[in-house]
Amino acid sequence: MDFDKADHESPYLSFLAAEFQKRGTKLRRTLSNKTKVHRMLREITVGGTHIGLPQQYNVLTSPNQITSESLGERAALKFAHGWSARGVMLLERTGAERYFDHFSLREWSLQEIREKQQETTASFPKKKPAWIIEEMLHGPQPGTIPFDYKFYMFQGQIGLVSQIDRNSSPLRNAFFDGNLNPLVEEQDFRLSSKIQPAAPLVPRSAVMLSRWAVELSQMTDAPFVRVDLYDTENGPYFGEFTFSSGAEHRRTIKFSRKMLNTFDHMFVNAEKMLNSDAVDLPESWSTLLQSTDSEALASQPLLSVTEYERLAHYLYNQGELGGFRLAEAQEALADHGADAAVNQYVSEAHRSAARWVKADRKSPPRGLREALQQVRKDHPPAQVIARKAHRTFRRLMQ
């Protein structure tokens, strides 16, 4: 399987590289500002509902302004102009001027927090220092930190969904294609050693997360934007717009050439749409969402938080039965007013995630897979031995 392309070979990668160096337009710069974009999003509705926005308690201009009073009992502290979670702390008070950071799993004194944030500014010397203190969100997935679902958007068309779990270190990452089918490591994508693979977990709010990603991407003047959203206990919450995805630009994540060809095709189509040219789009999850009444989508019934948590936790810990039970529970929502076509799509996504977990559980561990690949590469005559070892391992796992 061939992975990656040179930037000049790919319209999508070329765009990322250009935006990484300098944000292309005034609108993109505004949408990238975490404070300004919140003001804009308060005016937008989909199906009569607003996207969730973390309540911002304070905006600070110096680390010295970080105090026990400004942080309160629990808060998310974010460097306003950072990316890749740099400068993010999820703080919970443990004592006088002491906080546990759920992000780094360390306890810090107030002075240490200030020093860490001062160090963050050195990574962004051209940015005017600013920090946002906002509410800490809760999700129905395993762990304290809600999963981050990053939608790779091409003017209303979902190309990819990246599922980020920051409850472990290194972080865990899974991927879905634009139709919510789980992708396969070393077939569709390749991760660096800084990232762990994860089981795919279809979000509880999959319908409105996806619909909001469609809506928000069409606010932009860009053929590509990554819309980062959170699946919380209270539904979809906005994270940020990202026009220059650092993971792909720095190649900590590499996609197969087949996936990149898909992105390039969608990128070119998005450019045509921005120019008001007609584009013939295939039927997909994105087109289904846009052809369904937005109020019907917004009123779509959801699994209870308790039921989703229980089954999702089982699936995420390599128990495919949890995914099959999620699919059954999702299907049962048809009796409570769920749109039949939309609900069936989500049910099948849960079922696909379960099949992925079942297949992954029976495959060799990641380290063994890499060792076998190296054997095949370095010693072609040993390929037969490697295949036999693989088959023996699978028999033992059955």
Side-chain angles (χ1 to χ4, degrees):
M1 179 64 66
D2 291 333
F3 284 84
D4 205 16
K5 291 183 178 181
D7 287 348
H8 70 271
E9 296 180 289
S10 166
Y12 162 71
L13 292 175
S14 295
F15 177 84
L16 293 186
E19 289 288 320
F20 197 85
Q21 296 302 320
K22 184 178 181 181
R23 193 69 67 238
T25 66
K26 182 179 179 180
L27 177 59
R28 294 173 205 170
R29 289 190 290 273
T30 298
L31 293 175
S32 299
N33 185 296
K34 293 181 176 67
T35 301
K36 291 180 180 179
V37 73
H38 276 214
R39 299 193 197 107
M40 297 174 66
L41 295 182
R42 292 191 188 102
E43 308 300 320
I44 298 173
T45 62
V46 172
T49 66
H50 290 84
I51 185 76
L53 298 170
Q55 182 180 352
Q56 293 187 351
Y57 302 135
N58 287 288
V59 178
L60 313 177
T61 57
S62 167
N64 293 329
Q65 296 173 332
I66 301 173
T67 64
S68 296
E69 290 73 24
S70 63
L71 291 176
E73 294 298 318
R74 287 171 61 93
L77 174 64
K78 300 180 178 181
F79 184 69
H81 308 297
W83 41 263
S84 295
R86 293 193 184 185
V88 174
M89 291 181 168
L90 303 178
L91 301 170
E92 184 171 8
R93 192 199 300 267
T94 57
E97 296 196 347
R98 295 197 68 82
Y99 288 83
F100 180 76
D101 178 14
H102 289 277
F103 201 84
S104 66
L105 300 182
R106 291 181 180 275
E107 186 172 274
W108 305 109
S109 69
L110 197 59
Q111 183 57 35
E112 287 173 324
I113 291 171
R114 293 174 183 140
E115 291 170 358
K116 291 290 182 182
Q117 292 300 327
Q118 185 62 53
E119 291 172 7
T120 300
T121 63
S123 300
F124 304 94
K126 296 181 180 179
K127 300 291 185 180
K128 186 177 180 180
W131 289 263
I132 299 170
I133 298 178
E134 62 185 29
E135 69 173 309
M136 191 188 303
L137 303 176
H138 300 273
Q141 307 86 11
T144 302
I145 305 170
F147 283 16
D148 187 354
Y149 288 91
K150 301 177 182 294
F151 288 77
Y152 288 53
M153 300 300 304
F154 300 84
Q155 281 297 310
Q157 301 303 301
I158 303 171
L160 181 86
V161 184
S162 173
Q163 168 194 305
I164 303 290
D165 172 13
R166 299 188 187 277
N167 290 286
S168 64
S169 181
L171 63 79
R172 295 177 178 174
N173 204 171
F175 296 94
F176 301 87
D177 68 12
N179 291 315
L180 302 184
N181 297 306
L183 299 184
V184 179
E185 188 182 11
E186 292 301 326
Q187 175 180 303
D188 303 306
F189 65 92
R190 178 174 291 165
L191 301 175
S192 77
S193 59
K194 297 178 181 179
I195 305 173
Q196 300 181 73
L201 196 56
V202 177
R204 174 173 173 262
S205 304
V207 173
M208 286 306 289
L209 280 171
S210 301
R211 186 62 185 84
W212 270 110
V214 168
E215 185 76 16
L216 296 176
S217 72
Q218 293 173 328
M219 284 177 54
T220 77
D221 59 358
F224 168 79
V225 64
R226 200 186 72 201
V227 181
D228 296 0
L229 302 174
Y230 295 101
D231 185 30
T232 79
E233 295 175 354
N234 297 315
Y237 265 65
F238 177 76
E240 63 182 351
F241 287 105
T242 301
F243 296 93
S244 50
S245 183
E248 289 77 30
H249 179 63
R250 288 192 167 90
R251 303 314 200 260
T252 55
I253 297 172
K254 295 180 181 179
F255 291 106
S256 68
R257 292 183 72 89
K258 182 179 178 181
M259 289 295 300
L260 289 173
N261 288 340
T262 298
F263 296 163
D264 288 339
H265 178 70
M266 298 181 80
F267 185 94
V268 171
N269 278 344
E271 287 184 313
K272 292 178 181 177
M273 287 186 272
L274 286 169
N275 291 327
S276 300
D277 295 336
V279 176
D280 186 19
L281 297 173
E283 291 186 1
S284 66
W285 176 232
S286 301
T287 58
L288 175 61
L289 291 171
Q290 293 180 71
S291 64
T292 304
D293 180 73
S294 59
E295 291 187 5
L297 295 176
S299 61
Q300 191 89 349
L302 298 174
L303 300 179
S304 72
V305 171
T306 301
E307 182 175 25
Y308 181 89
E309 281 180 339
R310 183 184 300 122
L311 298 176
H313 188 277
Y314 194 87
L315 174 66
Y316 197 63
N317 288 282
Q318 300 299 306
E320 67 268 16
L321 184 59
F324 289 121
R325 292 290 183 262
L326 280 169
E328 293 171 0
Q330 187 74 39
E331 286 176 340
L333 294 179
D335 298 330
H336 300 278
D339 179 271
V342 170
N343 198 58
Q344 187 58 40
Y345 223 111
V346 180
S347 299
E348 185 52 38
H350 283 302
R351 198 168 282 108
S352 295
R355 289 193 291 264
W356 184 100
V357 167
K358 183 177 181 180
D360 187 69
R361 182 170 55 81
K362 293 184 177 182
S363 67
R366 186 184 189 186
L368 180 56
R369 290 201 302 269
E370 292 171 350
L372 291 173
Q373 289 166 3
Q374 194 62 42
V375 167
R376 296 186 186 110
K377 180 179 179 181
D378 296 341
H379 308 286
Q383 288 184 0
V384 174
I385 297 174
R387 285 197 293 270
K388 287 182 178 179
H390 191 177
R391 286 197 294 270
T392 301
F393 181 87
R394 295 190 65 175
R395 283 199 299 271
L396 291 173
M397 292 297 292
Q398 290 176 349

